[in-house]
Amino acid sequence: MNKKMLCAAMLASLGLVQVAAAQEFDDRWYVTAGIHNLDADGSRRVDDRWGLQLGAGKFLSPNWSFDFELFHTNPEKIGSDLNWSLYGAGVYGRYHWINPDRVWWPYVSLGLGGLRHEDEYSDPTGGRPIDRKGTNLFASVGVGLQADLNDRFSMRTEVTYRGDFDDGAGSRDDWFGDTLLQVSLVVKLGDKPQPVVEEVAPPPPPPPPAVTPCSELDDDNDGVNNCIDKCPNSQPGQAVGPDGCPVPLTIDLRGVNFDFDKATLRPDAVEILNEAISILKKYPELQVEVAGHTDAIGTDAYNQKLSERRARAVYDYLTGNGIDAGRLAGPNGYGESRPIAPNANPDGSDNPEGRAKNRRTELNVENR
């Protein structure tokens, strides 16, 4: 009976299985049908014979499967025509080393169940054969290979050593060791479970960017903040008003006047022109038009030529003192067409002071 206890302890190790439920696996129920060849213990004195088996089971974890199986074998006794039948039912646990990259994978099996014996013995007195019937425990251990042929069918081949604890057979020992070669077809029931797709929550939206108040922004760099800038696309160097829109601008050359009918710079005009040069150098982005003007004395054609000469005199002075000619438009003459003071009094008499103001040159900042 020590052998019985040893096998029972081996099978009890099945209770240590931990089901890895967190992993995905094919947990469909399946049915099995197969055949086995019984290589019986020599003490039984029976021929090898093929038998049938049926079963059902399922995977309880990615590696462990459990099956319930029924089987029957009807071998013949050697040297006689006496009957011998063996029926059995058992529970089997199989541990599979599954590799998705391979068709076949190995496994080991452990089994525990009951066997029903129905056999005949010769009567030593010469009478009718003696019937013996009984049920006893068995335990088994095996190795095998299984292959998934497709999503529905699998195939198993297994070699099993089974301990039959039949202590009523009148043998020299109280158990028999049989070897079985089994081939089974596995049919999976239902549809294959689909992989569980975990929904990943989208990341939270990024916080909105910090908003800089318009009073602190000046996109066109014209010195007028965006809140009140009505012309947000003014160009660098343009003169703008309080609303950010370009306005005409003239660099005042008041004092750069000319004697009557002259285009020569007077000494007192040089100081004023030097101030204008300082402004142009301080703001190198400014581009200006050099314009000359006259009073109303003389013909239009004459005054036009005279205004051009006066503009030329200022133009040459600016370029001769470091102002790039590319920043200067002109020199342009406007004759007497743009007076800034009356050339005559309301009564029609001459206005010398007004005419003196009109004999001038201007630097007009261009809006670009």
Side-chain angles (χ1 to χ4, degrees):
M1 296 303 294
N2 290 336
K3 295 180 179 178
K4 293 183 182 180
M5 295 178 63
L6 177 63
C7 291
M10 176 184 65
L11 294 174
S13 63
L14 290 173
L16 300 178
V17 176
Q18 295 182 354
V19 178
Q23 304 182 45
E24 295 180 1
F25 58 95
D26 188 349
D27 63 348
R28 287 178 290 175
W29 283 95
Y30 54 79
V31 294
T32 62
I35 58 175
H36 64 267
N37 182 268
L38 173 65
D39 182 10
D41 189 310
S43 299
R44 294 186 187 275
R45 300 185 59 79
V46 297
D47 292 329
D48 297 347
R49 182 61 62 91
W50 289 95
L52 301 175
Q53 63 191 57
L54 296 172
K58 69 178 300 185
F59 274 82
L60 299 183
S61 81
N63 301 101
W64 279 100
S65 67
F66 284 85
D67 297 75
F68 175 77
E69 295 182 3
L70 302 172
F71 50 87
H72 170 250
T73 309
N74 188 22
E76 293 184 355
K77 290 196 173 184
I78 297 174
S80 73
D81 58 355
L82 296 176
N83 294 323
W84 191 77
S85 295
L86 185 63
Y87 304 89
V91 177
Y92 296 84
R94 293 179 171 88
Y95 184 85
H96 304 257
W97 285 275
I98 297 176
N99 187 334
D101 298 328
R102 297 179 182 175
V103 176
W104 291 90
W105 66 81
Y107 65 85
V108 295
S109 69
L110 298 173
L112 184 68
L115 292 173
R116 174 71 177 175
H117 304 86
E118 296 181 0
D119 56 351
E120 296 179 339
Y121 285 91
S122 298
D123 187 348
T125 64
R128 294 171 59 88
I130 300 173
D131 290 334
R132 186 182 75 91
K133 298 180 179 180
T135 302
N136 54 269
L137 179 71
F138 79 85
S140 68
V141 60
V143 294
L145 293 172
Q146 178 165 329
D148 280 337
L149 306 180
N150 52 42
D151 286 346
R152 184 69 61 187
F153 299 101
S154 297
M155 182 69 68
R156 283 178 182 169
T157 61
E158 183 174 330
V159 178
T160 302
Y161 184 80
R162 183 176 66 196
D164 179 0
F165 303 111
D166 182 7
D167 55 3
S171 173
R172 57 180 171 79
D173 205 344
D174 57 0
W175 70 288
F176 300 92
D178 302 324
T179 301
L180 296 93
L181 173 63
Q182 307 174 65
V183 179
S184 304
L185 178 67
V186 180
V187 182
K188 301 170 186 177
L189 307 178
D191 296 328
K192 185 176 181 179
Q194 298 299 316
V196 177
V197 179
E198 295 185 2
E199 294 186 2
V200 179
V211 178
T212 304
C214 62
S215 61
E216 298 179 9
L217 297 174
D218 182 9
D219 292 341
D220 54 4
N221 296 315
D222 61 357
V224 179
N225 69 64
N226 288 359
C227 293
I228 59 177
D229 195 342
K230 295 181 179 179
C231 299
N233 298 317
S234 59
Q235 299 300 312
Q238 283 185 316
V240 298
D243 60 356
C245 293
V247 295
L249 178 65
T250 298
I251 297 178
D252 188 6
L253 297 183
R254 189 170 303 168
V256 182
N257 298 101
F258 295 85
D259 293 330
F260 179 74
D261 197 25
K262 300 290 184 182
T264 303
L265 290 175
R266 297 189 310 195
D268 58 350
V270 172
E271 185 177 352
I272 298 173
L273 287 176
N274 287 339
E275 292 179 2
I277 290 171
S278 298
I279 294 174
L280 292 173
K281 288 182 177 180
K282 183 177 180 179
Y283 301 99
E285 72 277 5
L286 290 180
Q287 304 215 6
V288 297
E289 176 198 28
V290 182
H293 305 272
T294 69
D295 61 20
I297 302 298
T299 65
D300 290 345
Y302 180 84
N303 286 336
Q304 177 63 35
K305 293 294 184 181
L306 179 58
S307 66
E308 292 174 0
R309 293 197 305 272
R310 290 173 174 173
R312 168 59 67 179
V314 173
Y315 181 93
D316 290 343
Y317 187 85
L318 295 177
T319 56
N321 286 273
I323 302 302
D324 187 354
R327 298 174 55 191
L328 305 178
N332 297 321
Y334 295 98
E336 61 184 81
S337 63
R338 297 183 179 181
I340 60 172
N343 287 292
N345 294 317
D347 60 1
S349 60
D350 183 40
N351 185 351
E353 293 181 0
R355 288 193 296 105
K357 293 178 181 179
N358 291 332
R359 297 191 299 269
R360 71 193 189 281
T361 54
E362 294 174 340
L363 299 181
N364 299 317
V365 176
E366 295 190 324
N367 296 326
R368 303 216 175 178

mmCIF file of all heavy atoms in Angstrom, residues 37-38 50 68 85 110 131-132 135 144 146 246 251 257 270 293-294 338 350 360 365 368:
data_model
loop_
_atom_site.group_PDB
_atom_site.id
_atom_site.type_symbol
_atom_site.label_atom_id
_atom_site.label_comp_id
_atom_site.label_asym_id
_atom_site.label_seq_id
_atom_site.Cartn_x
_atom_site.Cartn_y
_atom_site.Cartn_z
ATOM 1 N N ASN A 37 -3.354 2.030 -27.121
ATOM 2 C CA ASN A 37 -2.835 0.664 -27.137
ATOM 3 C C ASN A 37 -2.321 0.333 -25.752
ATOM 4 O O ASN A 37 -1.489 1.059 -25.204
ATOM 5 C CB ASN A 37 -1.710 0.532 -28.166
ATOM 6 C CG ASN A 37 -1.188 -0.881 -28.253
ATOM 7 O OD1 ASN A 37 -0.229 -1.244 -27.571
ATOM 8 N ND2 ASN A 37 -1.815 -1.691 -29.093
ATOM 9 N N LEU A 38 -2.856 -0.768 -25.188
ATOM 10 C CA LEU A 38 -2.497 -1.159 -23.828
ATOM 11 C C LEU A 38 -1.342 -2.161 -23.870
ATOM 12 O O LEU A 38 -1.476 -3.256 -24.419
ATOM 13 C CB LEU A 38 -3.700 -1.786 -23.116
ATOM 14 C CG LEU A 38 -3.425 -2.388 -21.735
ATOM 15 C CD1 LEU A 38 -3.015 -1.316 -20.747
ATOM 16 C CD2 LEU A 38 -4.653 -3.161 -21.237
ATOM 17 N N TRP A 50 -5.896 -2.708 -28.626
ATOM 18 C CA TRP A 50 -6.349 -1.321 -28.757
ATOM 19 C C TRP A 50 -7.668 -1.126 -28.028
ATOM 20 O O TRP A 50 -8.530 -1.999 -28.013
ATOM 21 C CB TRP A 50 -6.518 -0.948 -30.231
ATOM 22 C CG TRP A 50 -5.211 -0.823 -30.957
ATOM 23 C CD1 TRP A 50 -4.592 -1.789 -31.684
ATOM 24 C CD2 TRP A 50 -4.372 0.321 -30.994
ATOM 25 N NE1 TRP A 50 -3.401 -1.332 -32.187
ATOM 26 C CE2 TRP A 50 -3.240 -0.023 -31.775
ATOM 27 C CE3 TRP A 50 -4.429 1.603 -30.446
ATOM 28 C CZ2 TRP A 50 -2.196 0.853 -32.021
ATOM 29 C CZ3 TRP A 50 -3.399 2.471 -30.694
ATOM 30 C CH2 TRP A 50 -2.286 2.115 -31.460
ATOM 31 N N PHE A 68 -11.855 15.168 -18.093
ATOM 32 C CA PHE A 68 -12.505 13.973 -17.558
ATOM 33 C C PHE A 68 -12.596 12.987 -18.708
ATOM 34 O O PHE A 68 -13.101 13.327 -19.794
ATOM 35 C CB PHE A 68 -13.900 14.310 -17.017
ATOM 36 C CG PHE A 68 -14.655 13.096 -16.569
ATOM 37 C CD1 PHE A 68 -14.353 12.479 -15.348
ATOM 38 C CD2 PHE A 68 -15.661 12.545 -17.362
ATOM 39 C CE1 PHE A 68 -15.047 11.361 -14.940
ATOM 40 C CE2 PHE A 68 -16.359 11.420 -16.941
ATOM 41 C CZ PHE A 68 -16.055 10.816 -15.730
ATOM 42 N N SER A 85 -12.173 -7.743 -19.406
ATOM 43 C CA SER A 85 -12.547 -6.393 -19.806
ATOM 44 C C SER A 85 -12.125 -5.423 -18.724
ATOM 45 O O SER A 85 -12.161 -5.745 -17.522
ATOM 46 C CB SER A 85 -14.056 -6.279 -20.046
ATOM 47 O OG SER A 85 -14.452 -7.075 -21.147
ATOM 48 N N LEU A 110 -0.882 14.192 -15.352
ATOM 49 C CA LEU A 110 -1.082 13.430 -14.117
ATOM 50 C C LEU A 110 -2.553 13.058 -14.054
ATOM 51 O O LEU A 110 -3.425 13.889 -14.357
ATOM 52 C CB LEU A 110 -0.694 14.253 -12.891
ATOM 53 C CG LEU A 110 0.770 14.707 -12.786
ATOM 54 C CD1 LEU A 110 0.923 15.652 -11.602
ATOM 55 C CD2 LEU A 110 1.684 13.510 -12.633
ATOM 56 N N ASP A 131 -15.885 -16.041 -12.413
ATOM 57 C CA ASP A 131 -15.973 -14.600 -12.710
ATOM 58 C C ASP A 131 -15.417 -13.798 -11.543
ATOM 59 O O ASP A 131 -15.709 -14.087 -10.378
ATOM 60 C CB ASP A 131 -17.425 -14.188 -12.954
ATOM 61 C CG ASP A 131 -17.958 -14.758 -14.259
ATOM 62 O OD1 ASP A 131 -17.139 -15.023 -15.167
ATOM 63 O OD2 ASP A 131 -19.182 -14.949 -14.367
ATOM 64 N N ARG A 132 -14.625 -12.791 -11.889
ATOM 65 C CA ARG A 132 -14.137 -11.862 -10.864
ATOM 66 C C ARG A 132 -14.439 -10.444 -11.314
ATOM 67 O O ARG A 132 -14.091 -10.040 -12.427
ATOM 68 C CB ARG A 132 -12.638 -12.011 -10.650
ATOM 69 C CG ARG A 132 -12.119 -11.146 -9.487
ATOM 70 C CD ARG A 132 -10.609 -11.298 -9.344
ATOM 71 N NE ARG A 132 -9.899 -10.557 -10.394
ATOM 72 C CZ ARG A 132 -9.499 -9.291 -10.275
ATOM 73 N NH1 ARG A 132 -9.769 -8.607 -9.164
ATOM 74 N NH2 ARG A 132 -8.833 -8.705 -11.252
ATOM 75 N N THR A 135 -13.681 -3.007 -8.468
ATOM 76 C CA THR A 135 -13.296 -1.626 -8.818
ATOM 77 C C THR A 135 -12.188 -1.173 -7.888
ATOM 78 O O THR A 135 -12.254 -1.433 -6.675
ATOM 79 C CB THR A 135 -14.500 -0.674 -8.689
ATOM 80 O OG1 THR A 135 -15.551 -1.140 -9.539
ATOM 81 C CG2 THR A 135 -14.119 0.746 -9.099
ATOM 82 N N GLY A 144 3.457 14.038 -23.448
ATOM 83 C CA GLY A 144 2.802 14.062 -24.746
ATOM 84 C C GLY A 144 3.119 15.309 -25.534
ATOM 85 O O GLY A 144 3.841 16.197 -25.079
ATOM 86 N N GLN A 146 0.962 18.112 -28.208
ATOM 87 C CA GLN A 146 -0.326 18.569 -28.721
ATOM 88 C C GLN A 146 -0.086 19.632 -29.782
ATOM 89 O O GLN A 146 0.853 20.422 -29.698
ATOM 90 C CB GLN A 146 -1.211 19.139 -27.605
ATOM 91 C CG GLN A 146 -2.551 19.667 -28.106
ATOM 92 C CD GLN A 146 -3.549 19.889 -26.986
ATOM 93 O OE1 GLN A 146 -3.525 19.179 -25.978
ATOM 94 N NE2 GLN A 146 -4.447 20.847 -27.165
ATOM 95 N N PRO A 246 -0.342 104.657 -40.170
ATOM 96 C CA PRO A 246 0.707 105.530 -40.707
ATOM 97 C C PRO A 246 0.196 106.950 -40.929
ATOM 98 O O PRO A 246 -0.961 107.168 -41.304
ATOM 99 C CB PRO A 246 1.082 104.858 -42.028
ATOM 100 C CG PRO A 246 0.667 103.432 -41.863
ATOM 101 C CD PRO A 246 -0.572 103.474 -41.013
ATOM 102 N N ILE A 251 10.448 115.857 -41.706
ATOM 103 C CA ILE A 251 11.517 116.330 -40.825
ATOM 104 C C ILE A 251 11.698 117.821 -41.109
ATOM 105 O O ILE A 251 12.018 118.224 -42.228
ATOM 106 C CB ILE A 251 12.811 115.549 -41.089
ATOM 107 C CG1 ILE A 251 12.608 114.062 -40.746
ATOM 108 C CG2 ILE A 251 13.961 116.119 -40.277
ATOM 109 C CD1 ILE A 251 13.818 113.199 -41.016
ATOM 110 N N ASN A 257 16.195 128.059 -45.541
ATOM 111 C CA ASN A 257 15.551 128.844 -46.585
ATOM 112 C C ASN A 257 16.621 129.400 -47.516
ATOM 113 O O ASN A 257 17.815 129.364 -47.216
ATOM 114 C CB ASN A 257 14.722 129.975 -45.969
ATOM 115 C CG ASN A 257 13.597 129.415 -45.087
ATOM 116 O OD1 ASN A 257 13.731 129.393 -43.877
ATOM 117 N ND2 ASN A 257 12.504 129.000 -45.695
ATOM 118 N N VAL A 270 23.296 125.198 -42.407
ATOM 119 C CA VAL A 270 24.117 124.008 -42.184
ATOM 120 C C VAL A 270 23.816 123.382 -40.834
ATOM 121 O O VAL A 270 23.718 122.158 -40.686
ATOM 122 C CB VAL A 270 25.601 124.379 -42.309
ATOM 123 C CG1 VAL A 270 26.482 123.199 -41.892
ATOM 124 C CG2 VAL A 270 25.934 124.816 -43.728
ATOM 125 N N HIS A 293 11.067 123.798 -52.830
ATOM 126 C CA HIS A 293 9.902 124.645 -53.096
ATOM 127 C C HIS A 293 10.362 126.100 -53.349
ATOM 128 O O HIS A 293 11.445 126.502 -52.924
ATOM 129 C CB HIS A 293 8.921 124.617 -51.917
ATOM 130 C CG HIS A 293 8.488 123.232 -51.535
ATOM 131 N ND1 HIS A 293 7.409 122.611 -52.115
ATOM 132 C CD2 HIS A 293 9.010 122.350 -50.635
ATOM 133 C CE1 HIS A 293 7.257 121.405 -51.576
ATOM 134 N NE2 HIS A 293 8.240 121.231 -50.667
ATOM 135 N N THR A 294 9.503 126.872 -53.979
ATOM 136 C CA THR A 294 9.774 128.296 -54.258
ATOM 137 C C THR A 294 8.569 129.125 -53.865
ATOM 138 O O THR A 294 7.502 128.588 -53.543
ATOM 139 C CB THR A 294 10.070 128.523 -55.745
ATOM 140 O OG1 THR A 294 8.882 128.311 -56.503
ATOM 141 C CG2 THR A 294 11.175 127.598 -56.248
ATOM 142 N N ARG A 338 3.221 124.152 -53.770
ATOM 143 C CA ARG A 338 2.883 123.710 -52.418
ATOM 144 C C ARG A 338 3.304 124.764 -51.392
ATOM 145 O O ARG A 338 4.178 124.533 -50.555
ATOM 146 C CB ARG A 338 3.562 122.375 -52.095
ATOM 147 C CG ARG A 338 3.108 121.230 -52.991
ATOM 148 C CD ARG A 338 3.765 119.932 -52.577
ATOM 149 N NE ARG A 338 3.331 118.816 -53.417
ATOM 150 C CZ ARG A 338 3.727 117.561 -53.269
ATOM 151 N NH1 ARG A 338 4.583 117.273 -52.271
ATOM 152 N NH2 ARG A 338 3.305 116.628 -54.091
ATOM 153 N N ASP A 350 2.078 142.488 -51.854
ATOM 154 C CA ASP A 350 3.122 141.485 -51.664
ATOM 155 C C ASP A 350 3.288 141.150 -50.182
ATOM 156 O O ASP A 350 3.162 142.006 -49.315
ATOM 157 C CB ASP A 350 4.438 142.013 -52.244
ATOM 158 C CG ASP A 350 5.549 140.967 -52.131
ATOM 159 O OD1 ASP A 350 5.253 139.759 -52.366
ATOM 160 O OD2 ASP A 350 6.686 141.324 -51.826
ATOM 161 N N ARG A 360 11.880 127.057 -49.534
ATOM 162 C CA ARG A 360 12.320 126.094 -48.509
ATOM 163 C C ARG A 360 12.613 124.737 -49.163
ATOM 164 O O ARG A 360 12.282 124.495 -50.327
ATOM 165 C CB ARG A 360 11.200 125.906 -47.471
ATOM 166 C CG ARG A 360 10.027 125.128 -48.041
ATOM 167 C CD ARG A 360 8.792 125.195 -47.162
ATOM 168 N NE ARG A 360 7.745 124.275 -47.621
ATOM 169 C CZ ARG A 360 6.924 124.519 -48.646
ATOM 170 N NH1 ARG A 360 7.023 125.667 -49.320
ATOM 171 N NH2 ARG A 360 5.993 123.640 -48.988
ATOM 172 N N VAL A 365 9.109 112.014 -44.749
ATOM 173 C CA VAL A 365 9.232 110.573 -44.478
ATOM 174 C C VAL A 365 8.183 109.828 -45.298
ATOM 175 O O VAL A 365 7.000 110.165 -45.283
ATOM 176 C CB VAL A 365 9.017 110.296 -42.981
ATOM 177 C CG1 VAL A 365 9.052 108.789 -42.720
ATOM 178 C CG2 VAL A 365 10.097 110.990 -42.173
ATOM 179 N N ARG A 368 6.027 103.429 -46.213
ATOM 180 C CA ARG A 368 6.301 102.283 -47.067
ATOM 181 C C ARG A 368 5.747 101.037 -46.422
ATOM 182 O O ARG A 368 5.655 100.946 -45.241
ATOM 183 C CB ARG A 368 7.805 102.150 -47.262
ATOM 184 C CG ARG A 368 8.411 103.404 -47.836
ATOM 185 C CD ARG A 368 9.492 103.123 -48.767
ATOM 186 N NE ARG A 368 9.983 104.332 -49.394
ATOM 187 C CZ ARG A 368 10.973 104.345 -50.248
ATOM 188 N NH1 ARG A 368 11.570 103.214 -50.563
ATOM 189 N NH2 ARG A 368 11.378 105.444 -50.810
#
